Amino acid sequence: DSGVTQTPKHLITATGQRVTLRCSPRSGDLSVYWYQQSLDQGLQFLIQYYNGEERAKGNILERFSAQQFPDLHSELNLSSLELGDSALYFCASSVALPSPGANVLTFGAGSRLTVL
Amino acid sequence: DQQVKQNSPSLSVQEGRISILNCDYTNSMFDYFLWYKKYPAEGPTFLISISSIKDKNEDGRFTVFLNKSAKHLSLHIVPSQPGDSAVYFCAASALQGAQKLVFGQGTRLTINP
């Protein structure tokens, strides 16, 4: 158990629908990151929050949004779902803002989203 | 644009022998490199890292080598054990983009008894 909790573990939904993925970071970690892993692809960085504020953005679609709440948990909202959104979505956390040479992230087990 | 590439999707090695996983990168701004290991149904876990000021870092059976001129790094596992069977991801970050790690596609390592 890495200490990063993601729910749900699995989710099956239809095209056009909206889902919310939830992440609780490791105790004491202030930064939360979201990554997407599509079939046979590496992990693609989506977005990062630090202590409630957005700090970095990757290739996140406009249909996707995220936020980090005062209790530091984070939610990733995916709307108008398409077949291509089927993927593993990982959340990771770190103690603080990473500095060069200290980018060790702790990952959750992921949420597998299947869009039919 | 795949800035971090792992060209071997899979690798099979005999138990006790050396496993060598390779990774190439294109962004010369990357200055910190990591290897993550992933078992099925689990998230990636940190394995070993190396800063661009070094060319080698060792941790037990795991050694990472960095060749900056070739923009290439490799992970050596000696001796390989069945529990090393997993998907290995190479990742990199740059000074100015320290918030995000750029990952390769992963290499599935299978250790045969």
Coordinates of all heavy atoms in Angstrom, one line a residue, chain B residues 14-105:
Chain B
Q14 N 17.1 -14.8 -18.4 CA 17.2 -15.9 -17.5 C 17.5 -15.5 -16.1 O 18.3 -14.6 -15.8 CB 18.3 -16.8 -18.0 CG 18.2 -18.3 -17.6 CD 17.1 -19.0 -18.4 OE1 16.7 -18.6 -19.4 NE2 16.7 -20.1 -17.8
E15 N 16.9 -16.2 -15.1 CA 17.2 -15.9 -13.7 C 18.7 -16.0 -13.4 O 19.3 -16.9 -13.9 CB 16.4 -16.9 -12.8 CG 16.6 -16.7 -11.3 CD 15.8 -17.7 -10.5 OE1 15.1 -18.5 -11.1 OE2 15.9 -17.6 -9.2
G16 N 19.2 -15.0 -12.7 CA 20.6 -15.0 -12.3 C 21.5 -14.2 -13.3 O 22.6 -13.8 -13.0
R17 N 21.0 -14.0 -14.5 CA 21.7 -13.2 -15.5 C 21.5 -11.7 -15.3 O 20.7 -11.3 -14.5 CB 21.3 -13.7 -16.9 CG 21.5 -15.2 -17.1 CD 22.9 -15.7 -17.1 NE 23.7 -15.2 -18.2 CZ 23.8 -15.9 -19.3 NH1 23.2 -17.0 -19.5 NH2 24.6 -15.4 -20.3
I18 N 22.1 -10.9 -16.1 CA 22.0 -9.5 -16.1 C 20.8 -9.0 -17.0 O 20.6 -9.5 -18.1 CB 23.3 -8.8 -16.5 CG1 23.1 -7.2 -16.4 CG2 23.7 -9.1 -17.9 CD1 24.4 -6.5 -16.6
S19 N 20.0 -8.1 -16.5 CA 18.9 -7.5 -17.3 C 19.4 -6.1 -17.6 O 19.8 -5.4 -16.6 CB 17.6 -7.5 -16.5 OG 17.1 -8.7 -16.3
I20 N 19.3 -5.7 -18.8 CA 19.6 -4.3 -19.2 C 18.5 -3.7 -19.9 O 18.0 -4.2 -21.0 CB 20.9 -4.3 -20.1 CG1 22.1 -4.9 -19.4 CG2 21.2 -2.9 -20.5 CD1 23.3 -5.1 -20.3
L21 N 17.9 -2.7 -19.3 CA 16.8 -1.9 -19.9 C 17.3 -0.6 -20.4 O 18.0 0.1 -19.6 CB 15.7 -1.8 -18.9 CG 15.0 -3.0 -18.5 CD1 15.6 -3.6 -17.2 CD2 13.5 -2.8 -18.3
N22 N 16.9 -0.2 -21.6 CA 17.4 1.0 -22.2 C 16.4 2.1 -22.3 O 15.2 1.8 -22.4 CB 18.0 0.7 -23.5 CG 19.2 -0.2 -23.4 OD1 20.2 0.2 -22.8 ND2 19.2 -1.3 -24.1
C23 N 16.9 3.3 -22.4 CA 16.0 4.5 -22.5 C 16.7 5.6 -23.2 O 17.9 5.9 -22.9 CB 15.6 4.9 -21.1 SG 14.5 6.4 -21.0
D24 N 16.1 6.2 -24.1 CA 16.7 7.4 -24.9 C 15.8 8.6 -24.7 O 14.6 8.5 -24.5 CB 16.8 7.1 -26.4 CG 17.7 5.9 -26.6 OD1 18.9 6.0 -26.3 OD2 17.2 4.9 -27.2
Y25 N 16.4 9.8 -24.6 CA 15.6 11.0 -24.5 C 16.1 12.0 -25.5 O 17.2 11.9 -26.0 CB 15.7 11.5 -23.1 CG 17.1 11.9 -22.6 CD1 17.6 13.2 -22.7 CD2 18.0 11.0 -22.1 CE1 18.8 13.6 -22.2 CE2 19.2 11.3 -21.6 CZ 19.6 12.6 -21.7 OH 20.9 12.9 -21.3
T26 N 15.3 13.0 -25.8 CA 15.6 13.9 -26.9 C 15.8 15.4 -26.3 O 16.5 16.2 -26.9 CB 14.5 14.0 -27.9 OG1 13.3 14.3 -27.3 CG2 14.4 12.7 -28.6
N27 N 15.2 15.6 -25.1 CA 15.2 17.0 -24.6 C 16.5 17.2 -23.8 O 16.7 16.6 -22.7 CB 14.0 17.2 -23.7 CG 13.8 18.6 -23.2 OD1 14.8 19.4 -23.2 ND2 12.6 18.9 -22.8
S28 N 17.4 18.0 -24.3 CA 18.7 18.3 -23.6 C 18.5 19.0 -22.3 O 19.5 19.2 -21.5 CB 19.6 19.0 -24.5 OG 19.0 20.2 -24.9
M29 N 17.3 19.5 -22.0 CA 17.1 20.2 -20.8 C 16.8 19.3 -19.6 O 16.8 19.7 -18.5 CB 15.9 21.2 -20.9 CG 16.0 22.2 -22.0 SD 17.4 23.3 -21.6 CE 16.8 24.1 -20.1
F30 N 16.6 18.0 -19.9 CA 16.4 17.0 -18.8 C 17.6 16.9 -18.0 O 18.7 16.8 -18.5 CB 16.0 15.6 -19.4 CG 14.6 15.5 -20.0 CD1 14.4 14.7 -21.0 CD2 13.6 16.3 -19.4 CE1 13.1 14.6 -21.6 CE2 12.3 16.2 -19.9 CZ 12.0 15.3 -21.0
D31 N 17.5 17.0 -16.7 CA 18.6 16.9 -15.8 C 18.5 15.9 -14.7 O 19.3 15.8 -13.8 CB 19.0 18.3 -15.3 CG 17.9 18.9 -14.5 OD1 16.8 18.3 -14.4 OD2 18.1 20.0 -14.0
Y32 N 17.4 15.2 -14.7 CA 17.1 14.2 -13.6 C 16.3 13.1 -14.2 O 15.3 13.3 -14.8 CB 16.4 14.9 -12.4 CG 16.3 14.1 -11.2 CD1 17.5 13.8 -10.5 CD2 15.1 13.6 -10.7 CE1 17.5 13.0 -9.3 CE2 15.1 12.9 -9.5 CZ 16.2 12.6 -8.8 OH 16.2 11.8 -7.7
F33 N 16.8 11.9 -13.9 CA 16.2 10.7 -14.5 C 15.8 9.7 -13.4 O 16.6 9.5 -12.5 CB 17.2 10.1 -15.5 CG 17.6 11.1 -16.6 CD1 18.7 11.9 -16.3 CD2 16.9 11.3 -17.7 CE1 19.1 12.9 -17.3 CE2 17.3 12.2 -18.7 CZ 18.4 13.0 -18.4
L34 N 14.7 9.0 -13.7 CA 14.3 8.0 -12.7 C 13.8 6.8 -13.4 O 13.4 6.8 -14.5 CB 13.1 8.6 -11.9 CG 13.2 9.9 -11.2 CD1 12.8 11.1 -12.2 CD2 12.3 10.0 -10.0
W35 N 13.8 5.7 -12.7 CA 13.2 4.4 -13.1 C 12.1 4.0 -12.1 O 12.4 4.1 -10.9 CB 14.3 3.3 -13.2 CG 15.2 3.4 -14.4 CD1 16.4 4.0 -14.4 CD2 14.9 2.9 -15.7 NE1 16.9 3.9 -15.7 CE2 16.1 3.2 -16.5 CE3 13.9 2.2 -16.3 CZ2 16.2 2.9 -17.8 CZ3 14.0 1.8 -17.6 CH2 15.1 2.2 -18.4
Y36 N 11.0 3.7 -12.7 CA 9.9 3.2 -11.9 C 9.6 1.8 -12.3 O 9.8 1.4 -13.5 CB 8.6 4.1 -12.1 CG 8.6 5.3 -11.3 CD1 9.3 6.4 -11.6 CD2 7.8 5.4 -10.1 CE1 9.2 7.6 -10.9 CE2 7.8 6.5 -9.3 CZ 8.5 7.6 -9.7 OH 8.4 8.8 -9.0
K37 N 9.1 1.0 -11.4 CA 8.7 -0.4 -11.6 C 7.2 -0.6 -11.4 O 6.7 0.0 -10.4 CB 9.5 -1.2 -10.6 CG 9.3 -2.7 -10.6 CD 10.3 -3.3 -9.6 CE 10.1 -4.8 -9.4 NZ 11.0 -5.3 -8.4
K38 N 6.6 -1.3 -12.2 CA 5.1 -1.5 -12.0 C 4.7 -2.9 -12.1 O 4.9 -3.6 -13.2 CB 4.4 -0.6 -13.1 CG 2.9 -0.6 -12.9 CD 2.2 0.1 -14.0 CE 0.7 0.1 -13.8 NZ 0.1 -1.3 -13.6
Y39 N 4.1 -3.4 -11.1 CA 3.4 -4.7 -11.1 C 2.0 -4.5 -11.5 O 1.4 -3.5 -11.4 CB 3.5 -5.4 -9.7 CG 4.9 -5.7 -9.3 CD1 5.4 -5.2 -8.1 CD2 5.6 -6.7 -9.9 CE1 6.6 -5.5 -7.6 CE2 6.9 -7.0 -9.5 CZ 7.4 -6.5 -8.3 OH 8.6 -6.8 -7.9
P40 N 1.4 -5.6 -12.1 CA 0.0 -5.6 -12.5 C -0.9 -5.1 -11.3 O -0.7 -5.5 -10.2 CB -0.3 -7.0 -12.9 CG 1.0 -7.6 -13.3 CD 2.0 -6.9 -12.4
A41 N -1.9 -4.3 -11.6 CA -2.9 -3.8 -10.7 C -2.3 -3.0 -9.6 O -3.0 -2.8 -8.5 CB -3.7 -5.0 -10.0
E42 N -1.1 -2.5 -9.8 CA -0.5 -1.6 -8.8 C 0.0 -0.3 -9.5 O 0.2 -0.4 -10.7 CB 0.7 -2.2 -8.1 CG 0.3 -3.4 -7.2 CD 1.5 -4.0 -6.5 OE1 2.6 -3.3 -6.5 OE2 1.3 -5.1 -5.9
G43 N 0.2 0.7 -8.8 CA 0.8 1.9 -9.4 C 2.3 1.7 -9.5 O 2.9 0.9 -8.9
P44 N 2.9 2.6 -10.3 CA 4.4 2.5 -10.4 C 5.1 2.9 -9.1 O 4.6 3.7 -8.4 CB 4.7 3.6 -11.5 CG 3.4 3.8 -12.2 CD 2.3 3.6 -11.2
T45 N 6.2 2.2 -8.8 CA 6.9 2.5 -7.6 C 8.3 2.9 -8.0 O 8.9 2.3 -8.9 CB 7.0 1.3 -6.6 OG1 7.5 0.2 -7.3 CG2 5.6 1.0 -6.1
F46 N 8.8 3.9 -7.2 CA 10.2 4.4 -7.5 C 11.2 3.3 -7.3 O 11.2 2.6 -6.3 CB 10.4 5.6 -6.6 CG 11.8 6.1 -6.7 CD1 12.3 6.8 -7.8 CD2 12.7 5.9 -5.6 CE1 13.6 7.2 -7.8 CE2 14.0 6.4 -5.6 CZ 14.4 7.0 -6.7
L47 N 12.2 3.3 -8.2 CA 13.2 2.3 -8.1 C 14.6 2.9 -7.8 O 15.3 2.7 -6.8 CB 13.3 1.4 -9.3 CG 14.2 0.2 -9.4 CD1 13.8 -0.8 -8.3 CD2 14.0 -0.5 -10.8
I48 N 15.0 3.8 -8.7 CA 16.3 4.4 -8.6 C 16.4 5.6 -9.5 O 15.6 5.8 -10.4 CB 17.4 3.4 -9.0 CG1 18.8 3.9 -8.7 CG2 17.3 3.1 -10.5 CD1 19.9 2.8 -8.9
S49 N 17.2 6.6 -9.2 CA 17.3 7.8 -9.9 C 18.8 8.2 -10.1 O 19.7 7.7 -9.5 CB 16.6 8.9 -9.2 OG 17.2 9.2 -8.0
I50 N 19.0 9.2 -11.0 CA 20.3 9.7 -11.3 C 20.2 11.1 -11.7 O 19.3 11.5 -12.5 CB 21.1 8.8 -12.3 CG1 22.5 9.3 -12.4 CG2 20.4 8.9 -13.7 CD1 23.4 8.3 -13.2
S51 N 21.1 12.0 -11.2 CA 21.2 13.3 -11.6 C 22.1 13.5 -12.8 O 23.0 12.6 -13.0 CB 21.7 14.2 -10.4 OG 22.2 15.4 -10.9
S52 N 21.9 14.5 -13.6 CA 22.8 14.7 -14.8 C 24.2 15.0 -14.5 O 25.1 14.9 -15.3 CB 22.2 15.8 -15.7 OG 22.2 17.0 -15.0
I53 N 24.5 15.3 -13.2 CA 25.9 15.5 -12.8 C 26.7 14.2 -12.6 O 27.9 14.2 -12.4 CB 26.0 16.4 -11.6 CG1 25.4 15.8 -10.4 CG2 25.4 17.8 -11.9 CD1 25.7 16.6 -9.1
K54 N 26.0 13.1 -12.6 CA 26.6 11.8 -12.4 C 26.5 11.0 -13.7 O 25.6 11.3 -14.5 CB 25.9 11.1 -11.2 CG 26.1 11.7 -9.9 CD 25.5 10.8 -8.8 CE 25.8 11.3 -7.4 NZ 25.3 10.4 -6.4
D55 N 27.3 10.0 -13.8 CA 27.1 9.0 -14.9 C 26.7 7.6 -14.4 O 26.5 6.7 -15.2 CB 28.3 9.0 -15.8 CG 29.6 8.7 -15.0 OD1 29.5 8.2 -13.9 OD2 30.7 8.9 -15.5
K56 N 26.7 7.5 -13.1 CA 26.3 6.1 -12.6 C 25.8 6.3 -11.2 O 26.2 7.1 -10.4 CB 27.6 5.3 -12.5 CG 27.4 3.9 -11.9 CD 28.8 3.2 -11.9 CE 28.7 1.8 -11.1 NZ 30.0 1.1 -11.1
N57 N 24.7 5.5 -10.9 CA 24.2 5.4 -9.5 C 23.8 4.0 -9.2 O 23.2 3.3 -10.0 CB 23.0 6.4 -9.3 CG 22.6 6.5 -7.9 OD1 23.4 6.3 -7.0 ND2 21.3 6.7 -7.7
E58 N 24.2 3.5 -8.1 CA 24.1 2.1 -7.7 C 23.3 1.9 -6.5 O 23.5 2.7 -5.5 CB 25.4 1.5 -7.6 CG 25.5 0.0 -7.6 CD 26.9 -0.6 -7.6 OE1 27.8 0.2 -7.9 OE2 27.1 -1.8 -7.4
D59 N 22.4 1.0 -6.4 CA 21.6 0.7 -5.2 C 21.3 -0.8 -5.2 O 20.4 -1.3 -5.8 CB 20.3 1.5 -5.2 CG 19.5 1.2 -4.0 OD1 19.9 0.5 -3.1 OD2 18.3 1.8 -3.9
G60 N 22.2 -1.5 -4.5 CA 22.0 -3.0 -4.4 C 22.2 -3.6 -5.8 O 23.2 -3.4 -6.4
R61 N 21.2 -4.4 -6.2 CA 21.3 -5.1 -7.5 C 21.0 -4.1 -8.7 O 21.2 -4.6 -9.8 CB 20.3 -6.2 -7.5 CG 20.6 -7.3 -6.5 CD 19.6 -8.5 -6.7 NE 18.2 -8.1 -6.4 CZ 17.3 -8.1 -7.4 NH1 17.6 -8.5 -8.6 NH2 16.1 -7.8 -7.1
F62 N 20.6 -2.9 -8.4 CA 20.2 -2.0 -9.5 C 21.3 -0.9 -9.7 O 21.7 -0.3 -8.7 CB 18.9 -1.4 -9.1 CG 17.8 -2.4 -8.9 CD1 17.5 -2.9 -7.6 CD2 17.0 -2.8 -10.0 CE1 16.5 -3.8 -7.4 CE2 16.0 -3.8 -9.8 CZ 15.8 -4.3 -8.5
T63 N 21.6 -0.7 -11.0 CA 22.6 0.4 -11.3 C 22.0 1.1 -12.5 O 21.6 0.5 -13.5 CB 24.0 -0.2 -11.7 OG1 24.5 -1.0 -10.6 CG2 24.9 0.9 -12.0
V64 N 22.0 2.4 -12.4 CA 21.6 3.2 -13.6 C 22.8 3.9 -14.1 O 23.6 4.5 -13.4 CB 20.4 4.2 -13.2 CG1 20.8 5.1 -12.1 CG2 20.0 5.0 -14.4
F65 N 22.9 3.9 -15.5 CA 24.0 4.6 -16.1 C 23.5 5.6 -17.0 O 22.4 5.5 -17.7 CB 24.8 3.6 -17.0 CG 25.5 2.5 -16.3 CD1 24.9 1.3 -16.0 CD2 26.8 2.7 -15.8 CE1 25.6 0.3 -15.3 CE2 27.5 1.7 -15.1 CZ 26.8 0.5 -14.9
L66 N 24.1 6.8 -17.0 CA 23.7 7.9 -17.9 C 24.8 8.3 -18.8 O 25.9 8.6 -18.4 CB 23.3 9.1 -17.0 CG 22.9 10.4 -17.7 CD1 21.7 10.2 -18.6 CD2 22.6 11.5 -16.7
N67 N 24.5 8.4 -20.1 CA 25.4 8.9 -21.1 C 24.8 10.1 -21.7 O 23.9 10.1 -22.6 CB 25.6 7.8 -22.2 CG 26.6 8.2 -23.2 OD1 26.8 9.4 -23.5 ND2 27.3 7.3 -23.9
K68 N 25.2 11.3 -21.2 CA 24.5 12.5 -21.6 C 24.8 12.9 -23.1 O 23.9 13.4 -23.7 CB 25.0 13.7 -20.7 CG 24.5 13.6 -19.3 CD 24.7 14.9 -18.6 CE 26.2 15.2 -18.3 NZ 26.7 14.3 -17.3
S69 N 26.0 12.6 -23.5 CA 26.3 12.9 -24.9 C 25.4 12.1 -25.9 O 25.0 12.6 -26.9 CB 27.8 12.7 -25.2 OG 28.1 11.3 -25.0
A70 N 25.1 10.9 -25.5 CA 24.2 10.1 -26.4 C 22.8 10.2 -26.0 O 21.9 9.6 -26.6 CB 24.7 8.6 -26.2
K71 N 22.5 11.0 -24.9 CA 21.1 11.1 -24.4 C 20.5 9.7 -24.2 O 19.4 9.4 -24.7 CB 20.3 11.9 -25.4 CG 20.7 13.4 -25.5 CD 19.6 14.2 -26.2 CE 20.0 15.7 -26.3 NZ 21.1 15.9 -27.1
H72 N 21.2 8.9 -23.5 CA 20.8 7.5 -23.2 C 21.1 7.2 -21.8 O 22.1 7.5 -21.2 CB 21.7 6.6 -24.2 CG 21.4 5.2 -24.0 ND1 20.4 4.5 -24.6 CD2 22.1 4.3 -23.2 CE1 20.4 3.3 -24.2 NE2 21.4 3.1 -23.4
L73 N 20.1 6.4 -21.2 CA 20.4 5.8 -19.9 C 19.9 4.4 -19.9 O 19.1 4.0 -20.8 CB 19.7 6.6 -18.8 CG 18.2 6.7 -18.7 CD1 17.8 7.0 -17.2 CD2 17.7 7.9 -19.5
S74 N 20.5 3.6 -19.0 CA 20.2 2.2 -18.9 C 20.1 1.8 -17.5 O 20.7 2.4 -16.6 CB 21.2 1.4 -19.7 OG 22.5 1.6 -19.1
L75 N 19.3 0.8 -17.3 CA 19.1 0.2 -15.9 C 19.7 -1.2 -16.0 O 19.2 -2.0 -16.8 CB 17.7 0.2 -15.5 CG 17.3 -0.5 -14.2 CD1 17.9 0.2 -13.0 CD2 15.8 -0.7 -14.1
H76 N 20.6 -1.5 -15.1 CA 21.2 -2.9 -15.0 C 20.7 -3.5 -13.8 O 20.7 -2.9 -12.7 CB 22.7 -2.8 -15.1 CG 23.3 -2.4 -16.3 ND1 24.5 -2.8 -16.8 CD2 22.8 -1.5 -17.3 CE1 24.7 -2.3 -18.0 NE2 23.7 -1.5 -18.3
I77 N 20.2 -4.8 -13.9 CA 19.8 -5.5 -12.7 C 20.6 -6.8 -12.7 O 20.6 -7.6 -13.6 CB 18.3 -5.9 -12.8 CG1 17.4 -4.7 -13.1 CG2 17.8 -6.6 -11.6 CD1 15.9 -5.0 -13.3
V78 N 21.4 -6.9 -11.6 CA 22.3 -8.1 -11.5 C 22.3 -8.6 -10.0 O 22.6 -7.8 -9.2 CB 23.7 -7.7 -11.9 CG1 24.6 -8.9 -11.8 CG2 23.8 -7.2 -13.3
P79 N 22.1 -9.8 -9.8 CA 21.5 -10.8 -10.7 C 20.0 -10.7 -10.8 O 19.3 -10.2 -9.8 CB 21.9 -12.1 -10.0 CG 21.8 -11.8 -8.6 CD 22.3 -10.4 -8.4
S80 N 19.4 -11.0 -11.9 CA 18.0 -10.9 -12.1 C 17.3 -12.0 -11.3 O 17.7 -13.1 -11.2 CB 17.6 -11.0 -13.6 OG 18.2 -10.0 -14.3
Q81 N 16.1 -11.6 -10.7 CA 15.3 -12.5 -9.9 C 13.9 -12.6 -10.4 O 13.4 -11.6 -11.0 CB 15.3 -12.1 -8.4 CG 16.7 -12.0 -7.8 CD 16.7 -11.5 -6.4 OE1 15.7 -11.0 -5.9 NE2 17.9 -11.5 -5.7
P82 N 13.2 -13.7 -10.2 CA 11.8 -13.8 -10.7 C 10.9 -12.6 -10.2 O 10.1 -12.1 -11.0 CB 11.3 -15.1 -10.1 CG 12.6 -15.9 -10.0 CD 13.6 -14.9 -9.6
G83 N 11.2 -12.1 -9.0 CA 10.4 -11.0 -8.5 C 10.6 -9.7 -9.3 O 9.9 -8.7 -9.1
D84 N 11.7 -9.7 -10.1 CA 11.9 -8.5 -10.9 C 11.0 -8.4 -12.1 O 11.0 -7.4 -12.8 CB 13.4 -8.5 -11.4 CG 14.4 -8.4 -10.2 OD1 14.1 -7.8 -9.2 OD2 15.5 -9.0 -10.4
S85 N 10.3 -9.4 -12.4 CA 9.4 -9.4 -13.5 C 8.3 -8.3 -13.3 O 7.5 -8.4 -12.4 CB 8.7 -10.8 -13.7 OG 9.6 -11.8 -14.0
A86 N 8.3 -7.4 -14.2 CA 7.4 -6.2 -14.0 C 7.6 -5.3 -15.3 O 8.4 -5.6 -16.2 CB 7.8 -5.4 -12.8
V87 N 6.8 -4.2 -15.3 CA 7.0 -3.2 -16.4 C 7.9 -2.1 -15.8 O 7.6 -1.6 -14.7 CB 5.7 -2.7 -16.9 CG1 6.0 -1.6 -17.9 CG2 4.8 -3.8 -17.5
Y88 N 8.9 -1.7 -16.5 CA 9.8 -0.7 -16.0 C 9.7 0.5 -16.9 O 9.7 0.5 -18.1 CB 11.3 -1.2 -16.1 CG 11.6 -2.3 -15.1 CD1 11.2 -3.6 -15.3 CD2 12.2 -1.9 -13.9 CE1 11.4 -4.5 -14.3 CE2 12.5 -2.9 -12.9 CZ 12.0 -4.2 -13.1 OH 12.3 -5.2 -12.2
F89 N 9.5 1.7 -16.2 CA 9.3 2.9 -16.9 C 10.5 3.8 -16.6 O 10.9 4.0 -15.4 CB 8.0 3.7 -16.4 CG 6.8 3.0 -16.8 CD1 6.1 2.2 -16.0 CD2 6.2 3.3 -18.1 CE1 4.9 1.6 -16.4 CE2 5.1 2.7 -18.5 CZ 4.4 1.9 -17.6
C90 N 11.0 4.4 -17.6 CA 12.0 5.5 -17.5 C 11.3 6.8 -17.4 O 10.3 7.0 -18.1 CB 12.9 5.3 -18.7 SG 14.1 6.7 -19.0
A91 N 11.8 7.7 -16.6 CA 11.2 9.1 -16.6 C 12.2 10.1 -16.5 O 13.3 9.9 -16.0 CB 10.2 9.1 -15.4
A92 N 11.9 11.3 -16.9 CA 12.9 12.4 -16.8 C 12.2 13.7 -16.5 O 11.0 13.9 -16.7 CB 13.6 12.6 -18.2
S93 N 13.0 14.6 -15.9 CA 12.4 15.9 -15.6 C 13.5 17.0 -15.9 O 14.7 16.7 -16.0 CB 12.0 16.1 -14.2 OG 13.1 16.0 -13.3
A94 N 13.0 18.2 -16.2 CA 13.9 19.3 -16.5 C 13.8 20.4 -15.4 O 12.8 20.5 -14.7 CB 13.5 20.0 -17.8
L95 N 14.9 21.1 -15.2 CA 15.0 22.1 -14.2 C 13.8 23.0 -14.1 O 13.2 23.2 -13.1 CB 16.3 22.9 -14.4 CG 16.5 24.1 -13.4 CD1 16.8 23.4 -12.0 CD2 17.7 24.9 -13.8
Q96 N 13.4 23.5 -15.3 CA 12.3 24.4 -15.3 C 10.9 23.8 -15.2 O 9.9 24.4 -15.0 CB 12.4 25.3 -16.6 CG 13.6 26.2 -16.6 CD 13.6 27.1 -17.8 OE1 12.9 26.9 -18.8 NE2 14.4 28.2 -17.7
G97 N 10.9 22.5 -15.5 CA 9.6 21.8 -15.5 C 9.6 20.8 -14.4 O 9.1 19.7 -14.5
A98 N 10.1 21.1 -13.3 CA 10.3 20.1 -12.2 C 9.0 19.5 -11.7 O 9.1 18.5 -11.1 CB 11.1 20.8 -11.0
Q99 N 7.9 20.2 -12.0 CA 6.7 19.7 -11.5 C 6.3 18.4 -12.2 O 5.4 17.7 -11.7 CB 5.6 20.7 -11.6 CG 5.6 21.8 -10.7 CD 6.5 22.9 -11.1 OE1 7.2 22.8 -12.1 NE2 6.5 24.0 -10.4
K100 N 6.7 18.2 -13.4 CA 6.2 17.0 -14.1 C 7.3 16.1 -14.5 O 8.4 16.5 -14.9 CB 5.4 17.4 -15.3 CG 6.2 18.0 -16.5 CD 5.2 18.2 -17.7 CE 6.0 18.6 -18.9 NZ 5.1 18.8 -20.1
L101 N 7.0 14.8 -14.5 CA 7.9 13.8 -15.0 C 7.4 13.4 -16.4 O 6.2 13.3 -16.6 CB 7.9 12.6 -14.1 CG 8.5 12.7 -12.7 CD1 8.4 11.4 -12.0 CD2 10.0 13.2 -12.8
V102 N 8.3 13.2 -17.3 CA 8.0 12.7 -18.7 C 8.4 11.2 -18.7 O 9.6 10.9 -18.5 CB 8.7 13.5 -19.8 CG1 8.3 13.0 -21.1 CG2 8.4 15.0 -19.7
F103 N 7.4 10.4 -19.0 CA 7.7 8.9 -18.9 C 7.8 8.3 -20.3 O 7.3 8.8 -21.3 CB 6.5 8.2 -18.3 CG 6.4 8.4 -16.8 CD1 5.9 9.5 -16.2 CD2 6.9 7.3 -16.0 CE1 5.9 9.6 -14.8 CE2 6.9 7.4 -14.6 CZ 6.4 8.6 -14.0
G104 N 8.6 7.3 -20.4 CA 8.7 6.4 -21.6 C 7.5 5.5 -21.6 O 6.7 5.5 -20.7
Q105 N 7.4 4.7 -22.6 CA 6.3 3.8 -22.8 C 6.4 2.5 -21.9 O 5.4 1.8 -21.8 CB 6.2 3.3 -24.3 CG 6.2 4.5 -25.3 CD 7.5 4.7 -25.8 OE1 8.5 4.9 -25.1 NE2 7.7 4.7 -27.1

